[in-house]
Amino acid sequence: MLSVIIPTTGVEQTAVATLSALVPGAAAGVVSEVLLIDRSNDSSVIERVADVAGCHFMKFEGSHAAALAAGAAKARAPWLMFLPAGAVLDAGWIDETMQFAQSVAAGGRPRAGVFRYARSPYATVSLRDRLRSVARAVAGPLGDQGLLIAREHYRQIGGYEPDAKRAETRLLRQLGRSSRTVLRSRIVMV
């Protein structure tokens, strides 16, 4: 039911952290495929991680937005989940994701979901983190909160623009408040 698209930059630890949070979803049959799209010069580490984890691997040269768009184009499931490498989802994300997809299908009105952002309790808080927190409160969700969207809805709104800066945030703004839901499940960056 769900294709998970994770852009990476060659860092094994962040990719593995995100993949480990997805294992229960794969076991429950919610996650049908995971695509690791690596933009680093040396992709051998991420390619090995993908092989061990049973994920699809794509080496990609281009912008972050273009990598997201390429991953969406290759994904096969009816629902897409975009997660940044290093994102770890709360344990309840599986049930909530299924309920959200079912309610969108039953409601007949396209909606997208973003996860509730939570800072890691072990991270030091920088000025940048505080500014991003203010930006979330004022402008709404940011790209590092992930995105859950039906493939057809993604296509209707034009998806990620390959040449756009901050494409994730732009897409969230394009969805608008009326067609996006902040889910109860938290996303923590490690």
Side-chain angles (χ1 to χ4, degrees):
M1 122 167 210
L2 185 64
S3 291
V4 181
I5 296 137
I6 306 168
T8 67
T9 55
V11 180
E12 180 180 10
Q13 293 82 0
T14 56
V16 170
T18 301
L19 291 172
S20 67
L22 297 174
V23 169
V30 175
V31 175
S32 59
E33 71 176 339
V34 176
L35 294 102
L36 289 176
I37 304 152
D38 191 63
R39 297 175 41 237
S40 67
N41 292 332
D42 180 14
S43 294
S44 61
V45 171
I46 299 301
E47 187 172 13
R48 188 176 67 245
V49 168
D51 184 48
V52 168
C55 303
H56 298 288
F57 171 77
M58 281 179 64
K59 173 148 179 60
F60 192 82
E61 292 182 17
S63 70
H64 180 74
L68 291 168
K74 187 172 180 179
R76 298 177 305 211
W79 280 84
L80 306 174
M81 180 186 288
F82 297 93
L83 293 175
V88 176
L89 299 171
D90 267 352
W93 75 269
I94 299 166
D95 291 333
E96 186 172 20
T97 298
M98 292 182 65
Q99 290 172 7
F100 179 76
Q102 290 169 353
S103 70
V104 168
R109 191 176 117 208
R111 296 191 58 75
V114 293
F115 295 96
R116 189 172 308 281
Y117 185 82
R119 194 171 40 248
S120 170
Y122 308 109
T124 57
V125 181
S126 67
L127 177 60
R128 183 174 187 260
D129 293 329
R130 291 176 194 201
L131 291 174
R132 289 179 68 81
S133 180
V134 170
R136 282 180 221 289
V138 173
L142 300 177
D144 59 357
Q145 290 179 239
L147 177 65
L148 174 63
I149 189 168
R151 172 194 293 288
E152 189 56 36
H153 188 199
Y154 174 83
R155 285 186 182 149
Q156 287 173 353
I157 62 172
Y160 289 112
E161 296 177 30
D163 299 325
K165 290 185 179 185
R166 298 186 342 213
E168 292 164 304
T169 304
R170 281 185 179 202
L171 185 65
L172 289 171
R173 301 288 177 271
Q174 185 178 351
L175 286 167
R177 292 182 191 270
S178 64
S179 68
R180 74 173 182 247
T181 300
V182 177
L183 304 170
R184 291 182 315 270
S185 298
R186 295 179 310 153
I187 187 169
V188 177
M189 295 301 292
V190 293

